[in-house]
Amino acid sequence: MSDCRREWNREDELPVYLAGPIAGPKQRKSYGMFSSVEGAFDSKTIDFDNYAVGRKGSRTPRSSSRERVLDTEESNGKTPDNAQEAPLSNAQVEHEEGDSATGITAATTQNRLLGEGEKLLIKGGRVVNDDQSMFADVYIEDGVIKQVGENLTVPEDVKVIEANGRMVIPGGIDVNTCFMKPFLDTYPVDDFLQGTKAALSGGTTMIIDHVMPQPDESLLAAFERWQEAADKKACCDYSLHVDIPQWNETVKDELELLVQDKGVNSFQVYMAYKDVYQMTDSQLYQAFSFLKKLGAVVLVHAENGDLIAQEQNKILGMGITGPEGHPLSRPEEVEAEAVFRAITLGNRVNCPVYITKVMSKSAADTITQARRKGSVVFGEPLTAGLATDGSHYWSKNWAKAAAYVTSPPLSPDPTTPDHLNTLLACGDLQVVGSAHCAYSLAQKAIGKENFTLIPEGTNGVEERMGFVWDKAVAFGKMDENQFVAVTSTNAAKIFNLYPRKGRITVGSDADIVIWDPNRIKTIMAKQQQSASEYNIFEGLECRGGPALVLCQGRVVCEDGIIEAQQGTGRFIPRKPFPDLAYQRIKFRNQVNNTQGVARGMYDGPVYEVPLTPKYMTPAPSAKTSPTTNQPPPVRNLHQSNFSLSGAQADDYIPRRSGHRIVAPPGGRSNISNLG
Amino acid sequence: MAERRENRDIADEHDLPVYLARPGTADQVPRQKYGGLFSSVRDAFDGKSIDFDALSVGQSTPRSARRETGRGARSPASDSCWSSPGVERRAERVAVEKRAERSLEAALERSMETRSRRDKETLQYLEQTSERLLIKGGRIVNDDQSFHADIYMEDGHIKQIGDNLIVPGGVKTVEANGKMVIPGGIDIHTHLQMPYRGTATVDDFGQGTKAALAGGTTMIVDHVIPEPGCSLVEAFDQWRQWADDKSCCDYSLHVDITHWNDSVQQEVDALIKEKGVNSFQVYMAYKDYYQMTNSELYEVFTFLAERGGIAQVHAENGEIIAEEQARMLQMGITGPEGHVLSRPEELEAEAVFRAVTIASQTNCPLYVTRVMSKSAADIISLARKKGNVVFGEPIAASLGTDGTHYWSKNWAKAASFVTSPPLSPDPTTPDYLHTLLSSGDLSVTGSAHCTFSVAQKAIGKDDFTQIPEGVNGVEERMALIWDKAVTTGKMDENMFVAVTSTNAAKILNLYPRKGRIAVGSDADLVIWDTDAVRTVTAKTHNSAAEYNIFEGLELRGAPQVVVCQGKIVLEDGNLHTSSGVGRFIPCSPYPDFAYKRIKARKQLAVLKAVPRGMYDGPVSEYSLSRGGTPSASARSSPTKQPVRNLHHSGFTLSGPSIPEDLPIRPAGRRITVPPGGRSNITSLS
């Protein structure tokens, strides 16, 4: 029975008389969460666009990513028409140019990469989304999931992958990478190619990178620079956050353009890096207000830069120049303080706040408490914070100690990773990023005599999913659905990519990972995809890892062998006003309309203030010179008359104007009916 | 101090007969039997001779500048300053140190001498010092215990405590009839006679201290607010002058640091060392005026921690307030409700959190003035739970009323509640603050008494940001806490004494001179009538303001008799105060209450670098033009890299001094890689 139903699934094949009604959502009697087994037909056709209330055109981005290339007039060779083939040719070109590091397995991929028509069936897996797990097959065509269910009818030439009962999860989304973050003219060794390859090998199929404009560079220019680099090199889909290095009027215009035309809906502001990126509270307030209007998510790097600058001076002055000075000068209280301040600002402005890089217990606790009070705040711990701690800063080996330098620093408290994993499991922290920013040892050594010059960043994009599994799921803190939520779904929701990304359902992108919970891997720098010489997790055993990674419907990683294609990554534009962040905000906006009290004019005596500018340095003997503060009676009478003449608008209000206080101007009126 | 004590001890020994001079003779021990805190009833003699100096371990110079009154008798008199309390103390110590064979006459003689010497110094106190007073039948309530005992006062000091005291004839006797006798209140936060834009608060030091005494408060601590850019010492002297002229009770001064630079730093140093100020307030609010940046706060706190001062903060985020104020005015809200709308309590909590962080970074004791909201109080109590040295001061207004009045239709009434941080509109706040006060999470209470007339408040009738900020409370403070906390069973009477008086004295380093009823303490005390009921109203209050924010509140508990400097100033509802008798009480730095922990932590918190070998691997080329536009292709220009890099590593090798004996990567096993290339260090773990 289900067989014949399935025939009708494609509307064009349906008899005319059936075409309309069955396709409509009303026909589906048993769709929904629990229909996975019986009515396989239904689960194949969940049309989430219908459910996404108010999310206008959430599917448009799919095509626009290619159009954008034309818009920005940077299409060097790419045409929007044969979008799927363009990356291939690109890859080949680059390969021929002889960059030996890049074209890994061009020969094999050519066979595999049938471009448009690749059809894949994942059989016998357990599909795990953030809300439920179910046994189902997944059929993929053209990089999009076409059917989910049992006993699917698929074309003949389909390639079948046997999942053998293993978990099939949405590909991970790493919300925080820095593949191009410049530091004193040097760039991380992991660029978009190397970085996304590492991501894919760890089961992450999308990254969101931080565009970090130099303090006097235009945001747009930086954004385009990043996009260009990523389009050339990225092996998986990507999107971009833009960091706001300073706040002024021109930035506002650029932000508007970025949100409306460029598909950026998240911007990072800094509370640290004094005199470089740091913003004052007033600027933060203005930035928050403005970004809220645009519907963007505010990312905050939360550390108190003023205090850090002071502490750094103090610690350098004490003769501590090694990497241990880094955590000593950035104690976790300083992080917690800034988190608290950022949340306060967010509450005042009524704007969602996303704290990047939650590294310490106290910062995480601050977020937890704020959420308990109802603040719209999200917290993002990092791979490094979840899997290791800051005791390594005291390593006798300089190179090792320096490898851990990142900001905020890893907490020296060894119980921190456990605490963060617990909060992640219970939902107080929402997403896991990696802040992958790998500098080579030589680059780190720039700061060999001064810890403040050590470039900040650790690896983690490759190990991210594995460690969340190892530290949280394998320990029984977290279930597999929450695992999917924190590694993928929540990120997609917060940044408005859901359900295109972050879910295995009909119509979603075919970014899928077959997860093997029993795979045990020892992390070693020798075996990693990243180009850096070290790995901060060196020697740690990690249980759980991807057995197979599908990106854009193609197998890119199987049993640790990467077959990624340089340049296949597409830029995924994101719409503003993500529901997860902004729904509550919208309602609060309506509720929080403050109003003034309608009251009668005050008509009593008014002390005459000497007309000195408010904040001029007054003479210390202001009191002894009575000439300046003369209360001229004439003036005063005039004023109170004036106020009465204008007060007709609210005459109906019962007020005390009838029983006017008669007192000599400047004298004291004895108002006794105040209670 | 310690040396001086020893000197005195030596002097004592000379006075003693030789055969008794040996210290610690065993046969004196039995006399100790009833000594100590619980001896009040049976043996009156012992009760009279509690020597709290001996009990307070490590308390440095608590009574140092005892007689250093406000009349400028400062440095030249310092020697005699030492001797006068010293003699009394010697008399007291005799009992404890078991040299009691010394004749009573000798001690009396000496104290007579002392008195005459003292009279020479401070002639104007002659009449007052000869006053003698006996309070009979009271129950003495200190912060640690309550007991029944009589109190005999002479010369403005408590001379004897106990039953059946031997007192000279002709002593004025007050019958307490079993009522509580408590140490006079200390209002640790007032703004009397504060200048404001060419005018001043209506309660000057005369009026304000009169109101204080009427409420059972016998000492106030006022804030000196120098204009930004002006000298702190000049402002301090100005305040001293105003207060000396008019004050009816003893006073002390906090100095507010309204700007920060090197000269201010020197002045702060001078104020601590020479002027007897140990607490300084900084502002996190009032943008572009008093507000300090985080860096400045850090520097101030560091400096105060070095010098033994207490850092007080006005905790509100001034920057956000400025933005919110602009927003409110733009929305057309100009009335007093705009004040509270633009200063929501989370901004207070945020600033408290930040101040706690900075204080803990600098290891400086923190004192948060004016805790007005639940969330700010919570932050303080959390910080205390984490071990931070933080004190919170709720004020009478936040303990007695709430911020709903800002929405009053009567502008004058609404404006009279304007203070910063504002009263919380949450009506459960007072109750909550009382609970934290009872549990000890908040330490002291002030009033922030700062009264403006309605005409002065009306400066801001069209713009709430112009309304002068301040509320009354110095008179109602004690009764309010009694009524809201003690009669409701939240707090016991000893805690009541602690939060109204003792803790303040400890923070100011005036304990046990103030804040305790004990032999040798100042004769500032109050007979507290727990059953009296009074209704607060502006008609009868002692402040000069036309309004009272507690108008109509019925308060149970009131002072029946107030004794200040050994003289009765309130009896039978009649107030007899005299302006100008108030003395400036200098506070010494490093109060034990705050600094004992700080000192211990300072020793622990020594940071050490990790001794490790020099890094001798490759170093990437960089330019130090941080912030400049980096050339995007910095990595692709390898031209000058090799030379420079070799030079670098050669340089570092020539310098290493320690690495030989350390178990690091041996220098011999140097990683050889082409400069700029990737070195594959596998020995990282």
Side-chain angles (χ1 to χ4, degrees):
Chain A
M1 165 204 151
S2 61
D3 273 348
C4 44
R5 265 208 208 158
R6 218 174 298 119
E7 287 299 325
W8 301 336
N9 190 22
R10 290 186 205 92
E11 280 199 38
D12 44 343
E13 291 169 22
L14 284 174
V16 176
Y17 52 91
L18 280 176
I22 285 191
K26 279 173 196 161
Q27 283 285 328
R28 301 198 193 114
K29 277 173 300 211
S30 61
Y31 72 74
M33 291 294 160
F34 306 101
S35 65
S36 53
V37 181
E38 215 201 352
F41 168 76
D42 289 337
S43 65
K44 274 178 283 182
T45 52
I46 294 177
D47 179 5
F48 38 75
D49 269 340
N50 282 343
Y51 303 137
V53 184
R55 198 186 289 126
K56 280 172 288 187
S58 70
R59 329 243 334 164
T60 43
R62 186 155 290 149
S63 54
S64 74
S65 78
R66 284 302 149 193
E67 284 157 18
R68 189 252 324 144
V69 176
L70 268 193
D71 290 345
T72 51
E73 297 176 355
E74 285 171 33
S75 57
N76 38 4
K78 288 185 200 173
T79 54
D81 306 334
N82 50 357
Q84 291 296 90
E85 279 164 8
L88 170 62
S89 57
N90 246 6
Q92 282 173 321
V93 169
E94 298 232 355
H95 180 51
E96 281 157 20
E97 279 168 5
D99 189 353
S100 59
T102 55
I104 336 98
T105 48
T108 40
T109 39
Q110 249 176 332
N111 308 341
R112 272 185 192 281
L113 190 89
L114 304 171
E116 303 269 324
E118 176 132 3
K119 293 168 183 161
L120 266 177
L121 179 67
I122 302 176
K123 269 188 90 77
R126 193 156 52 89
V127 174
V128 179
N129 276 323
D130 67 318
D131 53 350
Q132 63 171 359
S133 312
M134 59 192 184
F135 283 95
D137 300 344
V138 182
Y139 173 63
I140 298 155
E141 209 179 295
D142 299 344
V144 176
I145 297 171
K146 288 286 181 196
Q147 298 177 50
V148 178
E150 285 182 297
N151 308 319
L152 306 176
T153 37
V154 293
E156 300 237 326
D157 59 341
V158 82
K159 186 189 172 212
V160 177
I161 298 170
E162 273 296 339
N164 289 329
R166 283 178 295 189
M167 291 166 56
V168 178
I169 61 173
I173 300 174
D174 190 338
V175 284
N176 187 348
T177 63
C178 303
F179 291 149
M180 254 177 80
K181 183 174 129 193
F183 179 85
L184 298 177
D185 295 356
T186 69
Y187 286 86
V189 290
D190 282 342
D191 58 4
F192 276 102
L193 171 68
Q194 211 68 43
T196 51
K197 260 164 59 185
L200 288 172
S201 76
T204 297
T205 54
M206 176 173 182
I207 56 144
I208 310 184
D209 203 72
H210 277 274
V211 175
M212 203 157 172
Q214 290 305 296
D216 46 2
E217 188 185 12
S218 121
L219 298 189
L220 271 177
F223 172 79
E224 275 157 15
R225 197 150 59 82
W226 250 259
Q227 208 178 32
E228 194 187 342
D231 277 340
K232 267 192 215 148
K233 293 184 173 168
C235 311
C236 66
D237 287 352
Y238 71 96
S239 192
L240 295 171
H241 306 295
V242 176
D243 295 6
I244 306 175
Q246 73 269 335
W247 187 251
N248 53 40
E249 286 303 311
T250 56
V251 166
K252 282 188 183 180
D253 298 339
E254 291 186 319
L255 289 178
E256 218 163 331
L257 208 67
L258 283 168
V259 169
Q260 277 155 15
D261 297 346
K262 300 289 182 184
V264 177
N265 75 357
S266 48
F267 298 91
Q268 174 154 314
V269 292
Y270 288 88
M271 300 170 82
Y273 305 108
K274 195 180 178 188
D275 302 331
V276 188
Y277 300 120
Q278 187 178 332
M279 288 191 196
T280 66
D281 288 355
S282 307
Q283 288 171 330
L284 289 171
Y285 185 95
Q286 285 159 15
F288 280 36
S289 311
F290 188 76
L291 291 173
K292 177 197 169 190
K293 261 184 235 153
L294 296 177
V297 179
V298 184
L299 316 180
V300 182
H301 177 110
E303 277 184 297
N304 189 321
D306 289 335
L307 296 190
I308 290 171
Q310 293 280 356
E311 292 278 330
Q312 283 179 338
N313 284 340
K314 187 174 99 185
I315 283 172
L316 285 174
M318 290 164 72
I320 299 178
T321 57
E324 69 275 13
H326 185 71
L328 289 177
S329 64
R330 304 176 102 105
E332 66 174 76
E333 292 180 289
V334 168
E335 186 191 351
E337 188 280 313
V339 170
F340 195 93
R341 189 147 42 102
I343 293 171
T344 307
L345 276 159
N347 287 348
R348 284 328 297 157
V349 178
N350 189 22
C351 160
V353 176
Y354 178 103
I355 310 289
T356 60
K357 300 182 267 195
V358 177
M359 302 300 270
S360 66
K361 274 186 181 179
S362 40
D365 286 343
T366 308
I367 293 172
T368 306
Q369 278 160 20
R371 286 177 67 86
R372 224 159 267 164
K373 286 183 190 158
S375 306
V376 183
V377 54
F378 305 104
E380 168 207 279
L382 303 182
T383 324
L386 292 172
T388 184
D389 61 55
S391 51
H392 304 279
Y393 290 118
W394 280 265
S395 164
K396 294 269 186 194
N397 180 335
W398 187 91
K400 183 181 175 192
Y404 287 83
V405 170
T406 185
S407 281
L410 290 159
S411 166
D413 177 353
T415 61
T416 304
D418 208 41
H419 189 75
L420 294 180
N421 276 306
T422 306
L423 293 187
L424 198 59
C426 76
D428 280 347
L429 299 174
Q430 289 73 37
V431 268
V432 183
S434 70
H436 188 93
C437 184
Y439 289 103
S440 72
L441 194 50
Q443 286 170 321
K444 290 268 183 188
I446 290 173
K448 72 194 171 85
E449 273 137 30
N450 179 350
F451 65 86
T452 62
L453 290 177
I454 301 175
E456 292 166 356
T458 60
N459 61 310
V461 72
E462 186 173 352
E463 298 83 2
R464 188 179 68 101
M465 309 257 301
F467 274 120
V468 176
W469 185 271
D470 181 70
K471 302 280 175 189
V473 187
F475 273 97
K477 277 184 200 271
M478 194 187 268
D479 60 24
E480 55 192 24
N481 302 102
Q482 180 72 3
F483 172 73
V484 170
V486 299
T487 54
S488 175
T489 312
N490 288 349
K493 285 180 178 167
I494 291 172
F495 296 110
N496 225 356
L497 296 163
Y498 191 81
R500 178 177 177 188
K501 301 279 185 190
R503 186 169 182 87
I504 296 183
T505 188
V506 175
S508 297
D509 278 359
D511 290 348
I512 292 175
V513 172
I514 297 182
W515 189 259
D516 182 356
N518 297 319
R519 203 180 151 94
I520 294 180
K521 184 184 172 191
T522 306
I523 309 288
M524 282 193 320
K526 276 179 191 167
Q527 292 170 4
Q528 71 188 359
Q529 290 296 323
S530 161
S532 68
E533 313 95 320
Y534 55 81
N535 190 314
I536 59 166
F537 310 108
E538 185 79 32
L540 286 182
E541 233 180 38
C542 179
R543 175 188 295 264
L548 184 128
V549 181
L550 282 175
C551 183
Q552 301 177 0
R554 292 193 321 271
V555 177
V556 291
C557 173
E558 194 168 358
D559 292 327
I561 299 156
I562 301 281
E563 294 162 7
Q565 283 286 300
Q566 181 172 13
T568 51
R570 300 164 297 182
F571 174 75
I572 312 284
R574 294 170 289 136
K575 296 259 174 210
F577 294 108
D579 273 351
L580 187 63
Y582 267 93
Q583 256 179 7
R584 285 177 286 171
I585 296 290
K586 280 177 197 161
F587 279 104
R588 288 177 196 188
N589 269 345
Q590 292 162 9
V591 176
N592 288 350
N593 275 334
T594 45
Q595 277 171 349
V597 176
R599 53 165 84 85
M601 295 299 255
Y602 169 81
D603 51 3
V606 178
Y607 176 82
E608 195 69 20
V609 181
L611 284 172
T612 46
K614 193 182 172 192
Y615 291 144
M616 221 185 67
T617 42
S621 58
K623 277 198 74 199
T624 53
S625 62
T627 45
T628 46
N629 59 350
Q630 77 295 23
V634 187
R635 186 80 191 279
N636 209 342
L637 275 171
H638 177 65
Q639 276 204 336
S640 51
N641 282 341
F642 208 67
S643 63
L644 270 174
S645 72
Q648 277 98 5
D650 44 8
D651 273 348
Y652 60 95
I653 293 165
R655 60 196 169 104
R656 297 175 39 241
S657 67
H659 119 227
R660 184 162 167 214
I661 296 162
V662 273
R668 185 186 312 148
S669 70
N670 200 356
I671 300 184
S672 53
N673 61 349
L674 278 170
Chain B
M1 170 71 200
E3 318 157 4
R4 285 172 195 267
R5 255 198 209 166
E6 273 156 30
N7 289 342
R8 230 177 291 120
D9 290 349
I10 292 164
D12 286 348
E13 282 177 24
H14 287 307
D15 290 340
L16 286 172
V18 175
Y19 53 91
L20 282 176
R22 289 168 300 142
T25 356
D27 54 287
Q28 304 304 324
V29 174
R31 292 209 52 129
Q32 259 300 47
K33 212 164 32 180
Y34 303 114
L37 293 177
F38 303 102
S39 64
S40 52
V41 181
R42 196 139 82 108
D43 192 341
F45 177 75
D46 286 343
K48 274 177 281 179
S49 55
I50 296 175
D51 180 4
F52 37 74
D53 269 339
L55 299 177
S56 61
V57 184
Q59 177 119 0
S60 57
T61 66
R63 318 195 28 116
S64 58
R66 177 68 169 275
R67 273 287 135 189
E68 189 178 329
T69 61
R71 299 299 161 181
R74 226 163 288 135
S75 43
S78 63
D79 273 353
S80 42
C81 278
W82 278 108
S83 63
S84 50
V87 171
E88 297 157 19
R89 206 171 338 175
R90 204 189 309 166
E92 294 149 19
R93 176 170 291 120
V94 167
V96 174
E97 291 182 355
K98 299 87 173 179
R99 299 197 200 100
E101 302 317 305
R102 185 156 34 148
S103 65
L104 186 63
E105 293 94 314
L108 271 176
E109 222 174 83
R110 246 178 252 117
S111 73
M112 292 298 285
E113 270 173 40
T114 319
R115 205 182 309 150
S116 59
R117 203 186 309 160
R118 194 187 301 147
D119 289 352
K120 269 178 232 150
E121 291 163 32
T122 57
L123 277 174
Q124 59 262 62
Y125 292 122
L126 190 57
E127 317 145 22
Q128 167 195 346
T129 47
S130 58
E131 183 147 329
R132 294 165 180 183
L133 194 61
L134 178 70
I135 296 182
K136 273 188 88 73
R139 192 158 55 89
I140 297 176
V141 179
N142 275 327
D143 68 320
D144 53 350
Q145 62 169 0
S146 314
F147 53 91
H148 286 275
D150 300 345
I151 305 165
Y152 172 64
M153 288 164 276
E154 201 180 295
D155 302 343
H157 299 297
I158 295 170
K159 287 285 175 193
Q160 299 177 47
I161 294 175
D163 286 340
N164 311 318
L165 301 178
I166 312 156
V167 292
V171 167
K172 180 172 172 157
T173 306
V174 178
E175 268 300 335
N177 289 326
K179 291 211 167 69
M180 285 167 57
V181 183
I182 58 174
I186 300 176
D187 189 336
I188 197 165
H189 188 162
T190 63
H191 295 273
L192 304 178
Q193 214 166 330
M194 183 185 85
Y196 178 81
R197 296 168 82 176
T199 173
T201 54
V202 292
D203 282 334
D204 60 9
F205 276 98
Q207 199 72 38
T209 51
K210 216 173 118 185
L213 288 169
T217 296
T218 54
M219 178 175 179
I220 58 149
V221 190
D222 205 74
H223 276 269
V224 176
I225 308 182
E227 284 296 328
C230 295
S231 155
L232 267 56
V233 175
E234 272 173 36
F236 172 81
D237 290 340
Q238 177 68 65
W239 253 262
R240 278 291 306 272
Q241 195 192 325
W242 287 335
D244 282 340
D245 286 347
K246 293 187 179 165
S247 179
C248 310
C249 65
D250 288 351
Y251 70 96
S252 191
L253 294 171
H254 308 293
V255 176
D256 294 7
I257 302 176
T258 48
H259 61 295
W260 185 248
N261 54 39
D262 285 344
S263 72
V264 173
Q265 185 171 327
Q266 281 161 16
E267 288 192 305
V268 169
D269 201 25
L271 285 168
I272 292 177
K273 285 187 179 142
E274 294 156 24
K275 302 279 190 176
V277 178
N278 80 349
S279 42
F280 297 85
Q281 173 160 315
V282 291
Y283 291 85
M284 301 170 83
Y286 305 109
K287 195 184 177 191
D288 300 331
Y289 196 37
Y290 296 144
Q291 186 178 328
M292 288 204 187
T293 64
N294 293 336
S295 311
E296 287 170 332
L297 290 174
Y298 185 96
E299 283 165 20
V300 173
F301 284 21
T302 311
F303 184 73
L304 289 177
E306 276 168 23
R307 301 300 149 105
I310 303 272
Q312 302 190 316
V313 286
H314 176 114
E316 279 184 295
N317 189 318
E319 301 221 357
I320 306 182
I321 288 172
E323 299 285 341
E324 292 275 310
Q325 281 180 338
R327 189 167 71 97
M328 290 299 153
L329 289 174
Q330 198 191 354
M331 286 164 69
I333 298 177
T334 57
E337 68 277 11
H339 181 73
V340 64
L341 289 174
S342 63
R343 306 177 100 106
E345 66 174 73
E346 37 185 3
L347 301 191
E348 188 191 347
E350 187 280 315
V352 171
F353 198 100
R354 189 148 40 103
V356 167
T357 307
I358 300 175
S360 117
Q361 282 312 302
T362 52
N363 197 18
C364 175
L366 179 73
Y367 178 107
V368 180
T369 60
R370 293 197 263 212
V371 176
M372 304 298 274
S373 66
K374 277 186 182 181
S375 40
D378 278 341
I379 302 280
I380 291 171
S381 89
L382 271 177
R384 287 175 68 91
K385 260 163 222 157
K386 284 185 192 156
N388 293 358
V389 183
V390 186
F391 306 105
E393 168 210 276
I395 65 171
S398 60
L399 292 168
T401 183
D402 60 57
T404 52
H405 303 280
Y406 289 118
W407 281 268
S408 165
K409 292 272 185 192
N410 180 336
W411 188 91
K413 183 182 176 192
S416 70
F417 284 83
V418 170
T419 186
S420 281
L423 289 159
S424 167
D426 178 352
T428 60
T429 303
D431 206 40
Y432 192 78
L433 294 180
H434 277 292
T435 307
L436 290 190
L437 200 58
S438 314
S439 71
D441 280 353
L442 299 173
S443 313
V444 282
T445 52
S447 67
H449 188 87
C450 179
T451 45
F452 289 99
S453 68
V454 173
Q456 287 170 325
K457 289 268 184 189
I459 293 171
K461 73 192 174 74
D462 300 320
D463 177 355
F464 66 85
T465 62
Q466 305 294 313
I467 301 173
E469 292 166 356
V471 291
N472 63 307
V474 72
E475 187 173 355
E476 298 81 5
R477 185 180 65 104
M478 307 258 297
L480 203 67
I481 295 167
W482 184 269
D483 180 77
K484 302 260 179 186
V486 186
T487 62
T488 56
K490 277 183 198 281
M491 192 186 272
D492 60 26
E493 55 193 23
N494 303 102
M495 195 65 186
F496 173 71
V497 170
V499 298
T500 55
S501 175
T502 311
N503 288 350
K506 286 180 177 170
I507 288 173
L508 295 166
N509 220 355
L510 297 173
Y511 187 81
R513 177 178 176 185
K514 302 277 185 191
R516 185 171 182 85
I517 297 179
V519 174
S521 296
D522 279 1
D524 288 348
L525 45 84
V526 173
I527 299 180
W528 190 259
D529 184 355
T530 54
D531 300 322
V533 176
R534 287 195 317 194
T535 305
V536 180
T537 165
K539 282 177 194 155
T540 57
H541 72 191
N542 285 285
S543 159
E546 308 100 317
Y547 57 83
N548 190 315
I549 57 165
F550 307 109
E551 188 76 36
L553 209 60
E554 215 180 58
L555 297 179
R556 178 182 294 267
Q560 190 179 35
V561 176
V562 177
V563 178
C564 181
Q565 297 180 353
K567 284 168 55 174
I568 295 176
V569 292
L570 176 81
E571 195 176 18
D572 306 328
N574 299 318
L575 207 53
H576 320 277
T577 58
S578 42
S579 285
V581 299
R583 299 162 299 181
F584 174 73
I585 313 284
C587 306
S588 47
Y590 297 109
D592 274 350
F593 197 52
Y595 266 90
K596 260 186 189 161
R597 286 177 285 171
I598 297 286
K599 279 178 196 161
R601 287 172 198 189
K602 209 173 270 173
Q603 288 161 9
L604 282 181
V606 177
L607 302 176
K608 278 191 198 131
V610 176
R612 49 165 88 84
M614 293 299 251
Y615 169 82
D616 52 3
V619 179
S620 164
E621 198 61 26
Y622 66 99
S623 68
L624 257 176
S625 63
R626 200 198 270 248
T629 39
S631 56
S633 58
R635 287 187 71 209
S636 59
S637 65
T639 44
K640 62 179 216 182
Q641 227 154 347
V643 186
R644 241 337 249 297
N645 211 344
L646 276 171
H647 177 65
H648 260 263
S649 50
F651 211 64
T652 55
L653 270 175
S654 71
S657 45
I658 15 159
E660 260 64 54
D661 50 342
L662 291 168
I664 32 133
R665 182 152 36 82
R669 210 184 111 203
R670 186 158 165 218
I671 295 160
T672 43
V673 277
R678 186 186 312 153
S679 69
N680 201 357
I681 299 186
T682 51
S683 64
L684 276 171
S685 58

